[in-house]
Amino acid sequence: MRPLSALTIAAGLLFLTIEAGAEPTVAPGYRLETISTPGAAYSGLSRDGEDLLVTDLASGRLYRRGPDGKLAAFGPAFPYGLDVIGDPTGPYRVVRVGDDLVVAQGWTPVNSDEGPLDHALVAFDGTGKLRVISRDFWNPFDFIVAGGIYYVIDSARNSVERVQANGRKDTMMTFRRMGEATTALQNLSPTEFAEEKSYEVDAVPTGIGLRDERLHIALFGGFPFLAGAGKIVSIPEAGGASMPRVDVEGLNAPVSIAVDSDGDLLVLEHGTYDQKEGFHKGSGRLLRLDKMTGRRTVILGGLTRPVSVLVWDERRLVVSELGGNLHFLTRETAH
């Protein structure tokens, strides 16, 4: 199967139009500021000193937002376009690593010839000189860096890859296909999913985070993106043959995760899905999962196709949406 976009790989179908959704809703004790850029498709977020780094899949450019609040393009332009389903592909994420900035670059756009930067982990220095760390991916949607090691999510291969600074790579985990309950599938489409048939979907890993020496991975789940079918699983950072541990279930297409200053897990849900309408406008949300109790709190709701969540500091969070929105969430009181 040809890899598609980070969110649709192995899913087989996705509605293509990115539309504005309802106004976001904020939990008590939080203040929200939103900036919007018509035509942009914001994806990856990271912090570089006092600057916010953002990737834009609609232009292939990287943006830097300084303390003055202005977004300015910087660095090389990366390949971008639409995949065969019609979703944007390009630089999914950029992260500061020492003197370099490292980009996870997506699959080759459907109307382009494959280039040397496609489906790759790419570094560039202050002069803009490019260096490919590895192209041995299909769709490297997200990554983190810990102890000089890159931990890369390959959504197309349903795997977590460990990459050395010199490009040497080994697969830490390849996720099995997930079985879905026949009753749930019949409710979705009684004619397509007969009672006597079983149904499996690809796990489609997306976001990754590190907590307590374990890598936590969001499993988005493949088509038909059943409500509550998403999971968060974890594996030891050191690797090994152990099976992934299921930490959280019942999620709606989790796409990004992060760990806040209290050790709580933040989970960004892409939303709920309908075969006729696609992902429902306003169905995405940001959850906080208490580390001690597991209690879930919705701290930002009403999102449409959100992609990334970034912990800026102990009070502030940033969330991106494919519709060109950046949401800045500030906690005004203790939670």
Side-chain angles (χ1 to χ4, degrees):
M1 177 183 295
R2 175 184 169 87
L4 308 178
S5 73
L7 303 184
T8 60
I9 180 62
L13 178 65
L14 186 63
F15 284 76
L16 313 180
T17 304
I18 299 172
E19 301 181 79
E23 288 295 319
T25 57
V26 187
Y30 289 88
R31 175 171 48 86
L32 179 65
E33 175 193 359
T34 298
I35 65 170
S36 299
T37 305
Y42 292 138
S43 179
L45 303 170
S46 67
R47 183 170 181 172
D48 183 18
E50 293 304 310
D51 292 347
L52 172 67
L53 304 183
V54 185
T55 67
D56 179 18
L57 301 181
S59 65
R61 296 308 308 268
L62 313 177
Y63 285 87
R64 183 183 298 275
R65 184 178 191 263
D68 62 1
K70 297 179 180 179
L71 281 167
F74 73 98
F78 286 84
Y80 72 98
L82 300 179
D83 64 22
V84 295
I85 292 297
D87 257 14
T89 181
Y92 290 137
R93 184 168 172 80
V94 58
V95 174
R96 166 70 65 184
V97 183
D99 294 331
D100 292 336
L101 288 161
V102 178
V103 174
Q105 172 67 24
W107 191 254
T108 308
V110 65
N111 293 324
S112 303
D113 294 329
E114 183 172 321
L117 302 183
D118 289 324
H119 51 86
L121 209 59
V122 182
F124 66 94
D125 59 20
T127 68
K129 182 179 179 181
L130 293 165
R131 172 176 58 88
V132 175
I133 297 171
S134 174
R135 293 189 69 236
D136 190 16
F137 307 102
W138 286 358
N139 201 19
F141 180 59
D142 196 7
F143 71 97
I144 60 172
V145 187
I149 305 296
Y150 298 92
Y151 297 95
V152 184
I153 293 292
D154 193 330
S155 294
R157 284 177 169 156
N158 293 290
S159 66
V160 182
E161 309 290 338
R162 179 168 46 200
V163 184
Q164 308 284 340
N166 62 7
R168 181 179 176 180
K169 182 177 78 70
D170 63 277
T171 299
M172 296 185 68
M173 175 68 61
T174 300
F175 296 101
R176 298 175 179 175
R177 289 169 64 82
M178 303 190 300
E180 300 293 0
T182 305
T183 52
L185 292 163
Q186 282 184 290
N187 290 337
L188 184 68
S189 176
T191 57
E192 184 176 353
F193 305 107
E195 182 176 1
E196 67 274 8
K197 292 182 179 180
S198 59
Y199 194 82
E200 291 186 334
V201 300
D202 285 331
V204 193
T206 47
I208 184 170
L210 178 63
R211 183 177 70 179
D212 299 334
E213 299 182 340
R214 294 186 69 86
L215 298 169
H216 294 259
I217 301 108
L219 301 184
F220 191 89
F223 177 79
F225 313 116
L226 289 178
K231 299 177 175 67
I232 303 296
V233 301
S234 64
I235 59 176
E237 179 187 1
S242 62
M243 294 291 291
R245 183 181 74 196
V246 178
D247 295 317
V248 185
E249 295 184 283
L251 298 170
N252 299 325
V255 67
S256 178
I257 58 179
V259 180
D260 71 9
S261 57
D262 296 321
D264 294 340
L265 197 64
L266 301 173
V267 178
L268 186 64
E269 293 182 319
H270 203 60
T272 55
Y273 181 82
D274 178 87
Q275 286 202 84
K276 294 182 179 180
E277 299 178 3
F279 282 98
H280 293 115
K281 291 183 289 185
S283 66
R285 57 186 186 173
L286 177 62
L287 309 177
R288 170 177 275 116
L289 279 62
D290 186 273
K291 181 179 181 180
M292 301 303 296
T293 67
R295 179 175 177 268
R296 303 182 188 187
T297 303
V298 179
I299 58 177
L300 182 61
L303 303 174
T304 298
R305 301 201 69 185
V307 182
S308 297
V309 56
L310 169 69
V311 175
W312 184 263
D313 56 26
E314 66 275 4
R315 294 180 60 236
R316 292 176 290 178
L317 308 171
V318 189
V319 174
S320 65
E321 284 184 310
L322 282 180
N325 297 322
L326 294 174
H327 301 291
F328 299 86
L329 194 63
T330 303
R331 188 174 70 201
E332 296 180 321
T333 61
H335 71 278

